[in-house]
């Protein structure tokens, strides 16, 4: 009797699963909606600024909320790079968000303000983030 119940449960579980393609399409759609990429051509970044930004991030508290390749409390740096084209206007915008904090851009997480970060340093940090690729 027990084997029959297990067999019936396995059959029912198999019949109620979504086809694999629907799961893949659903996952891709959720990622697109989460990232909401902004169209635009990338501008070239200075490698020295990118390197400086990487060093500044490594000595900051960014890792408390962000990871390079996966979400934590906040979005992954690579997801941020997918959303924003490398343009000075977005570097300036995101640098201001680093300094003043923000909310709502990535759902419910709140970006803590970092008023002690100099604007030039915040721009270097953002430049590094936007330079990241998968």
């Amino acid at each position: 009797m027990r084997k029959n119940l297990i067999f019936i449960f396995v059959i029912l579980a198999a019949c109620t699963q979504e086809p694999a393609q629907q799961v893949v399409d659903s996952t891709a759609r959720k990622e697109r909606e989460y990232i909401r990429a902004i169209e635009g051509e990338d501008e070239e970044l200075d490698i020295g600024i990118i390197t400086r930004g990487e060093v500044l991030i490594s000595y900051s508290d960014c890792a408390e909320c962000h990871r390079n390749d996966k979400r934590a409390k906040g979005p992954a740096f690579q997801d941020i790079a997918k959303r924003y084209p490398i343009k000075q206007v977005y570097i300036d915008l995101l640098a201001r968000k680093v300094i003043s904090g923000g909310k709502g851009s990535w759902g419910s997480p709140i970006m803590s303000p970092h008023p002690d970060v100099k604007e030039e340093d915040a721009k270097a940090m953002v430049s590094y983030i936007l330079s990241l690729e998968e």
Side-chain angles (χ1 to χ4, degrees), residues 99 114-123:
I99 295 167
H114 299 84
D116 296 335
V117 175
K118 297 177 188 168
E119 186 175 357
E120 182 181 327
D121 291 345
K123 287 180 182 182

Side-chain angles (χ1 to χ4, degrees), residues 27-40 71 75-76 78-85 90 93-94 97 102-109 130:
T27 302
R29 185 181 78 247
K30 286 178 186 174
E31 183 175 335
R32 276 193 311 274
E33 289 171 0
Y34 176 71
I35 293 175
R36 295 186 330 263
I38 298 170
E39 296 294 322
R71 294 182 213 175
Q78 288 179 352
D79 289 345
I80 296 169
K82 287 178 189 175
R83 178 178 284 185
Y84 296 98
Y90 295 116
L93 169 77
L94 295 173
K97 279 194 171 207
K103 62 181 180 176
S105 297
W106 294 92
S108 60
L130 295 184

Side-chain angles (χ1 to χ4, degrees), residues 12-28:
L12 287 173
C15 292
T16 60
Q17 290 183 351
E18 293 182 49
Q21 186 59 41
Q22 285 181 342
V23 172
V24 170
D25 291 346
S26 174
T27 302

Side-chain angles (χ1 to χ4, degrees), residues 42 45 77 80-87 90-91 94 125-133:
D42 289 339
L45 289 173
F77 288 149
I80 296 169
K82 287 178 189 175
R83 178 178 284 185
Y84 296 98
I86 301 171
K87 291 191 167 293
Y90 295 116
I91 292 170
L94 295 173
M125 295 163 87
V126 168
S127 295
Y128 165 71
I129 293 167
L130 295 184
S131 75
L132 295 174
E133 296 180 12

